[in-house]
Each structure stands twice: as C-alpha cells, then as structure tokens.
Amino acid sequence: MSSPAAAIVQAVPPGQFPGGTRRALSAVDQAADKARLKAELQSKINGMQNSRPSSRRLPTVPVLAGILPGGGLQAGAAYSVTNSTTLAMALLAGPSGAGAWCSVIGMPTFSVEAAAGFGIALDKLVLVPHPGDQWLTVTAAMVDVVSIVLTCAPQHVAPSDASRLMARLRQRGAALVTMGPWPHSEATLSVTGSNWQGLGSGTGHLRSRRMRITAHASTGRSRTADLWLPDLHHGPWSTSMSPSAPAAHSESGQQEFFSRPARAS
C-alpha cells in the first residue's frame, strides 16, 4: 500500500512541484513519523507492563500466608527454602489443593508419597528429576504450563539467566520456589524449630509434628509462625482467606520439645 506522501507525488506531473505541494508533503511525512513514534512507544509501554509483577495471589496454607510478604504466594514471584523439603511441600500444598498444576525439577529424592500425604495432587504434578545442563530450558518451559515450580537450582546461575527467568514468571503468572538461595526471592523461609507430639514418659507413638517457620522478606522484615503438619490436610484454601495460625499447645502428660529455640522478630 502506497503512503499518503506517495499518493500526492503520483498526482502531480513530473517537474511540477509548487510550494504548497512541498509543504503538504512535509506535513504528511511529519504525521507519519509521529504515528510511527507513537506506535513504538506504545509497544514499549505494553512490554514494560507485561514485565511487572502480578498482584494475583495463589492459594496458600493460611499459616504460611500470614508470614509471607503480601499475605501469600504471589504470581510472578520467587521464594527460597533453606533447609527443609517438607516446608517446600507445604508451599506447594496450597496451590495444588486448589487444583493448580505443579512441577518439581532437579530433585531426584523428592518423595511423591510424602507429597500426597501433604495434600499435593499427584495427577497434576510433573516431575523432572534430572534436567542436567538443560535446567534453565526445562524450568522456563515448565513456567509456561504450570502455576508453581519447585526446583533445586544450579549452584551458579548467570545473573542474565536469572533475570530472564523472572521476567518469564511475571509474564506467565507462575511462582518459583527454590531449594537454597535465589537472587530475586521475595522471601527466604526456613525451619527454626521442630517438635513431635505423642510420646509420653517412655510410652506412646509419634502422632503429629509442629514446625516453627521463619520467613525473612527481601525488605529485611522477619515473621515467625508455627505450622502443624496435620493442618495441611484441611484444604483447599482460597486466596481470600484471612491467615490465622493455630495456637501452639501440648497434650497433658506428654513431652514437648523443640530441636532449637526460636522467637518472633
């Protein structure tokens, strides 16, 4: 399709370009330049908007929602777990219990039996135990199709690769949970205390476990709450539930012990 300027040129016989025609040609060219500039700016703005973190929350176990920044797992965000696969499973339990697809990458010892016990739906769980040197490619591909990815990232990830993966998370509205540090984590979660219930004075059997979870936000703020593992069976949870931690308690005549003391900060 010919441009407006070309149409004017074709309408004027060769060699006959009065001053008015020249001014008209110049005005048309300027209008076309402005239109192109506007289109380019709009495209850049759209790209920037698509790269912003989503404000959508994923269903989260209420106790964990109460200590996470923003009141729960955020679509497009990343989180780190330092010392507990059980805690990582608890983070997956909320989205999975609400019907979301999950993926576990680079964790060959991940127990599907334990995952099922925590309420993770195995029929919507994709396992990639050995991604090898294709970890980034596999993880990026999974971000396109599932709501939350749990992975053991390589020890060294190039900053540019990490940034591209985060941009993909934001575009797709997925969440990332890494075992170990991740440069773009919204929060780092760890188990700072643990005890079992059920043992008396030399009698009884283990019936439940309480974990004290501490979340260190990227802003520097820390929050602590106690998670009773049996509570993971009480889902599914919605994104609108107000988080509330169950009160800590000990049964009469039974011993209660923490492997390490912890306090709220």
Side-chain angles (χ1 to χ4, degrees):
M1 180 180 295
S2 59
S3 67
I8 293 176
V9 171
Q10 292 172 1
V12 178
Q16 299 181 17
F17 288 92
T21 302
R22 292 192 181 93
R23 287 193 295 271
L25 285 171
S26 177
V28 170
D29 288 338
Q30 290 177 5
D33 289 341
K34 289 180 180 179
R36 284 194 297 269
L37 179 59
K38 181 179 179 180
E40 291 174 1
L41 289 175
Q42 188 63 56
S43 177
K44 291 180 179 179
I45 290 172
N46 292 338
M48 292 172 66
Q49 289 177 337
N50 291 337
S51 66
R52 291 175 182 170
S54 171
S55 60
R56 182 171 64 88
R57 279 189 300 181
L58 300 176
T60 311
V61 175
V63 171
L64 298 178
I67 62 176
L68 286 172
L73 292 167
Q74 304 290 324
Y79 303 87
S80 299
V81 176
T82 60
N83 60 353
S84 174
T85 303
T86 298
L87 175 54
M89 290 183 182
L91 289 171
L92 264 61
S96 181
W101 280 81
C102 306
S103 179
V104 180
I105 302 171
M107 299 177 61
T109 60
F110 183 86
S111 172
V112 293
E113 182 178 0
F118 293 147
I120 297 174
L122 300 185
D123 59 342
K124 292 185 177 180
L125 179 66
V126 181
L127 300 176
V128 187
H130 302 284
D133 58 2
Q134 297 299 311
W135 175 84
L136 183 64
T137 301
V138 172
T139 302
M142 283 298 167
V143 165
D144 286 347
V145 295
V146 304
S147 297
I148 184 166
V149 173
L150 168 62
T151 182
C152 185
Q155 187 174 0
H156 300 291
V157 178
S160 58
D161 290 338
S163 296
R164 282 196 295 269
L165 183 57
M166 291 304 301
R168 201 179 194 100
L169 283 172
R170 292 189 289 267
Q171 292 168 356
R172 302 301 184 184
L176 177 71
V177 178
T178 63
M179 298 299 300
W182 181 255
H184 302 281
S185 291
E186 290 291 317
T188 299
L189 292 87
S190 59
V191 177
T192 52
S194 178
N195 76 330
W196 292 86
Q197 295 287 328
L199 289 180
S201 300
T203 61
H205 59 278
L206 297 175
R207 293 196 309 227
S208 63
R209 183 186 180 190
R210 184 177 69 179
M211 299 169 62
R212 181 154 293 173
I213 311 300
T214 300
H216 299 279
S218 58
T219 59
R221 183 175 183 178
S222 298
R223 292 181 176 178
T224 298
D226 290 347
L227 172 67
W228 290 84
L229 295 189
D231 288 338
L232 295 180
H233 300 284
H234 297 167
W237 300 276
S238 70
T239 57
S240 60
M241 288 184 62
S242 58
S244 58
H249 65 277
S250 61
E251 300 179 18
S252 176
Q254 294 179 340
Q255 295 179 347
E256 179 178 350
F257 56 93
F258 270 95
S259 60
R260 184 167 38 159
R263 67 170 184 263
S265 56

